[in-house]
Amino acid sequence: MSIYSDSKGLYYSPTKYVELLCPKKEIGERTELISILRSARFTSRYYCESGDQPFGYCGLPPHIYERVKVEKMARLKHESELARQAQSAAQQAKATDEQHRKALEHQRELNHMTLAHQRKTDRMLQEAQDKSREAQLKAKEWDLKMTLSHEKAIAEHQITASRRLNEQTDQARTPVKRKETCKPA
């Protein structure tokens, strides 16, 4: 069996050598040469002794086939694990996003309730302040009425007292007429 190897560690059977490495001849000539080699019972072989296999590898010797099989199973297992981890991470991210969305929604509701409570408190405070001002105005009005009423009573009392005094003074100034009494004659 003829196998060609290059400096990169790649191995080629004559059919693969013609297919992959021969200078680009006309497609018909290459196809005819490959057919002749296959009719002479040359099997297509293309592989790497160590490391990853090249694209389009074929005709592996049994020891390389077993290694490739084990590597492929390990790679599939690794890819499966990566896919599982990615799915788990995606689910975790989705759950985290949902938690975040719910937290934001809860915060919005809390803000809304706080704002409503603050408005109600402000309204109640304003009403209390209005009632307090109204009560203060009524108290001042009452005080003013009482003060005016008191001052009016004092003024009326002073006027009355002044009139009496004037009357008494006038009476004191007016001579008293004595009644003449008739004497019997």
Side-chain angles (χ1 to χ4, degrees), residues 152-168:
K152 182 180 176 185
I154 291 173
E156 286 174 356
H157 178 68
Q158 286 176 343
I159 290 170
T160 304
S162 180
R163 280 186 190 153
R164 281 188 196 151
L165 185 62
N166 284 342
E167 285 174 4
Q168 288 174 355

Side-chain angles (χ1 to χ4, degrees), residues 24-77:
K24 300 291 182 193
K25 296 186 173 192
E26 289 184 24
I27 294 176
E29 287 180 17
R30 282 183 30 209
T31 306
E32 186 179 334
L33 185 54
I34 291 171
S35 290
I36 292 171
L37 289 170
R38 284 190 180 144
S39 64
R41 302 208 184 254
F42 282 98
T43 307
S44 289
R45 293 182 180 266
Y46 176 52
Y47 58 90
C48 182
E49 184 69 36
S50 62
D52 293 336
Q53 294 302 314
F55 177 76
Y57 68 92
C58 61
L60 300 174
H63 71 284
I64 295 177
Y65 176 79
E66 284 302 317
R67 180 178 52 92
V68 168
K69 183 178 168 184
V70 168
E71 288 172 356
K72 191 173 192 175
M73 291 300 286
R75 186 173 58 252
L76 288 174
K77 184 177 177 183

Side-chain angles (χ1 to χ4, degrees), residues 1-5 11-15 17 37 42-43 45 47:
M1 164 176 13
S2 300
I3 296 288
Y4 167 78
S5 67
Y11 290 81
Y12 305 85
S13 65
T15 54
Y17 183 84
L37 289 170
F42 282 98
T43 307
R45 293 182 180 266
Y47 58 90

Side-chain angles (χ1 to χ4, degrees), residues 91-178:
Q91 288 173 344
Q92 182 64 33
K94 185 177 179 181
T96 301
D97 287 347
E98 183 63 18
Q99 281 180 324
H100 183 68
R101 186 192 63 74
K102 285 181 179 180
L104 287 176
E105 185 177 319
H106 177 72
Q107 187 62 44
R108 276 192 293 272
E109 288 174 7
L110 186 61
N111 289 347
H112 179 72
M113 289 180 356
T114 301
L115 183 60
H117 178 72
Q118 184 62 43
R119 286 178 181 159
K120 184 177 179 180
T121 302
D122 290 347
R123 189 172 50 254
M124 291 171 63
L125 179 61
Q126 185 63 44
E127 289 172 2
Q129 288 173 342
D130 291 346
K131 286 180 181 179
S132 176
R133 275 193 292 276
E134 187 178 321
Q136 287 174 354
L137 287 174
K138 284 183 180 182
K140 284 181 181 180
E141 183 180 337
W142 175 255
D143 284 346
L144 184 58
K145 282 181 182 178
M146 289 294 108
T147 301
L148 289 174
S149 176
H150 180 68
E151 288 177 358
K152 182 180 176 185
I154 291 173
E156 286 174 356
H157 178 68
Q158 286 176 343
I159 290 170
T160 304
S162 180
R163 280 186 190 153
R164 281 188 196 151
L165 185 62
N166 284 342
E167 285 174 4
Q168 288 174 355
T169 306
D170 284 346
Q171 285 177 358
R173 287 189 194 157
T174 310
V176 176
K177 289 186 190 177
R178 294 187 180 197

